Amino acid sequence: MLETIEPDTFYAHDREGNYIEWNSQEQFDRHHDGKDDPKRITATPFAWPDPTKIPRRRWLFGHWLLRGEVTAIVAPGGVGKSTFTAAMALSLASGSEFLDKSLPEGARTVWLWNLEDDRDELDRQFMACSLQHGVGPSECGSRLYVDSGLDQRLCTAVEAERGLEIIEPVYENLKAEIEARKIDVLTVDPFVSSHEIDENANVLIDKVAKRWKRLATETGCSIVLVHHTRKMSGREVRAEDSRGAVALINAARSTLVLNPLSKEDAKKFGITEEAERRTLVRIDDDKPNRAPPENAWWMKLESVNLDNGGGLHPSDYVGAATHWTPPDPFEGLSTRDLYNVQLAIDAGEYRDSVQAKDWAGYAVAEVLGLDVEDETEKERIKSLLKTWKGNGALAVEQRKVRGEDKPFVAVKNWVDPTTLPTLKSGVGKGGEGGVPTHQSHSPHPTFYKGGWGGGGVPCNDENEGRENA
C-alpha cells in the first residue's frame, strides 16, 4: 500500500519503517508482482485467561517508569528537567527513595545519555545530587552509566533522498549494550538531538517514536525521552504543548510535565520570596493511561556547594532535586476546630463573597486565631472554606438582602459533638489548644463521624445523628 507525501511521489515502507520511493503505483505493482502482499487478516477469539496468571505490569519508579514502555518528559527550558533526570537516575541506581517515589524492584541499572551537556556539567549535576542526598559509589555500585552527546554522538534516524531512514545499526547497538549491561532504564535527553528528522513531521516522528517503543519492548527496558516545549509565554505547560509533532507524546505511555510554581500557587502556599518560588517545580503525569491518576508531585531545587573553588575562582553552586511537600492548610487543626467554626457560622450571618464586609472568613479567623490582613493566612482561610464547602461541612445558600438573592455560608452537616474528646468544661465550652467555642441553638439534623482534617465521613443514618444529639 503506497502513501503520497509529495505530489506525484509515492512511498512504501518496509517492516523497519524505511520509506522506499516509486514513480507510480503501477511501477510498485509491477516490481513486487504481489510477492509482498500482506497475509490474510483474521480475527482472534478472546481466550478468557485466568486473571491471576496475567503478567503484572513491572513498574520501576513509582507509576512513572514501566518496563517495556516509553515515558516522555516535557518541560520548557530552565525549569530543571536535567537536574530531575539526574536525580531520578541516582535514586534508581542507589535504591534510595529520596525523591519519595517507590522503587518496586529496588536498585536498578540506569543509563543516562545527555546529548547537550558536556562531561564536566554532567559531573556537577550528579555530584550535587550525591552530596545532597548522601548516596555515592558504595550505594550505586556499577549500576550507573552516564554519557555526553559531545563525546559520543547518537543519531537514530535521518531524512535521506528517498525519505525517512531509520538507522537500524544504531538501534541494534543500543539493544546489544542494554542487554550486555542489563540496563533497566535508559534516558535520552533531549529527544530532538537523537535524530535528524523535521520535528514537525508527524508521520516521520511517529516512525521514530515507535522504533524506540520497539526497542523498549524487545529489551524490557524503560526508555525515557526528554522533550522541549514550544514557547509558552508564561502559560502552564500541558503534554500537548511539546514542541513539534505530537507523535512522540502519542507513542509514550506516560508523559511527565514540568511547570514552575505559579505566582498564584505561591500565594496560596504562603511563599512570598521570588527567589524561593523559582526553586519549586510541579510535576504531573499528564497521560497516566497505564496507572491511576496521581496528585501533583513537587520538586525543590536545592543549591549545593561543590567546594571546588580556589584562589580567585569561587566554588560552583549546583542545583539538586529534592521532594517538596506544600504546606497543609489543615495542619494543627482538629475536628473540634471545625465544630467551633460551625458554631460561629451558625450564630451569625456570613457572606460567601471574600469582598463582603461580613465574609465567612472573618468568623473562621476569629475562631482559629488567624489574621485576615495577612495574605498567607487569608489564603489559608480560603482553602479551609473551600474544602469544608466541598465535603459538606458547610454549604452556600441564597438569602434575600433588600429583595436580591445573595450567597451566604451556612452549616450543612454538623460535626457530631459526641465524637469529640470530653473536656472538663464540657463540649462546646472550651476548645483544644485554647480555641474558643460558641454555644449553638441549632437542631443538628445531620452529624459527621470521624476525623475532619479536611475530610470526614457523613453519617448515613439521619436518625442516628439525631439520637447522638
Side-chain angles (χ1 to χ4, degrees), residues 29-58:
D29 294 337
R30 188 167 58 250
H31 179 82
H32 287 275
D33 194 24
K35 290 184 294 185
D36 285 353
D37 285 349
K39 294 181 181 179
R40 179 175 176 270
I41 296 175
T42 60
T44 303
F46 186 60
W48 296 101
D50 179 351
T52 64
K53 305 299 183 183
I54 299 174
R56 65 176 180 85
R57 293 170 181 153
R58 297 184 62 185

Side-chain angles (χ1 to χ4, degrees), residues 145-372:
Y145 296 86
V146 181
D147 280 289
S148 167
L150 303 185
D151 299 329
Q152 187 173 200
R153 183 172 177 264
L154 175 64
C155 183
T156 63
V158 297
E159 289 187 80
E161 292 182 3
R162 295 193 301 179
L164 171 68
E165 180 183 343
I166 300 288
I167 307 178
E168 283 301 320
V170 171
Y171 281 102
E172 292 304 319
N173 282 331
L174 284 168
K175 180 180 178 181
E177 189 68 359
I178 289 171
E179 292 176 342
R181 303 284 189 178
K182 296 181 172 54
I183 303 293
D184 299 293
V185 178
L186 166 63
T187 298
V188 176
D189 179 12
F191 171 67
V192 69
S193 296
S194 69
H195 61 79
E196 295 179 1
I197 302 298
D198 178 4
E199 65 178 356
N200 295 299
N202 221 35
V203 173
L204 304 187
I205 293 296
D206 179 66
K207 302 294 182 186
V208 177
K210 287 180 178 175
R211 186 60 184 86
W212 279 109
K213 158 64 177 171
R214 195 175 111 201
L215 177 65
T217 302
E218 291 173 346
T219 60
C221 182
S222 175
I223 293 179
V224 181
L225 302 176
V226 182
H227 197 40
H228 297 298
T229 65
R230 60 174 66 99
K231 293 182 179 179
M232 300 304 298
S233 302
R235 185 168 58 83
E236 185 175 277
V237 172
R238 298 296 304 272
E240 56 267 24
D241 294 314
S242 61
R243 200 171 70 189
V246 299
L248 171 62
I249 304 306
N250 293 338
R253 293 309 179 197
S254 180
T255 301
L256 306 182
V257 179
L258 279 64
N259 279 288
L261 175 65
S262 67
K263 292 183 179 179
E264 293 74 18
D265 285 340
K267 186 178 179 182
K268 292 178 184 178
F269 296 153
I271 296 171
T272 58
E273 296 294 330
E274 181 67 10
E276 183 181 4
R277 183 182 74 83
R278 292 180 180 277
T279 66
L280 298 169
V281 179
R282 195 183 83 233
I283 301 180
D284 301 282
D285 188 348
D286 211 24
K287 187 186 172 184
N289 56 359
R290 295 267 174 125
E294 294 184 350
N295 294 327
W297 185 91
W298 291 91
M299 172 176 72
K300 183 175 177 61
L301 301 175
E302 296 286 359
S303 182
V304 178
N305 183 357
L306 297 185
D307 198 25
N308 59 347
L312 299 176
H313 301 283
S315 295
D316 289 324
Y317 283 80
V318 181
T322 62
H323 179 237
W324 180 75
T325 302
D328 181 2
F330 286 89
E331 185 177 358
L333 299 185
S334 66
T335 308
R336 183 179 296 279
D337 292 312
L338 170 57
Y339 184 62
N340 292 338
V341 168
Q342 289 182 321
L343 293 173
I345 293 290
D346 191 63
E349 294 280 327
Y350 292 100
R351 302 276 193 99
D352 186 48
S353 173
V354 70
Q355 285 83 27
K357 293 183 179 179
D358 50 355
W359 174 46
Y362 290 106
V364 175
E366 181 182 357
V367 171
L368 302 182
L370 301 176
D371 182 5
V372 178

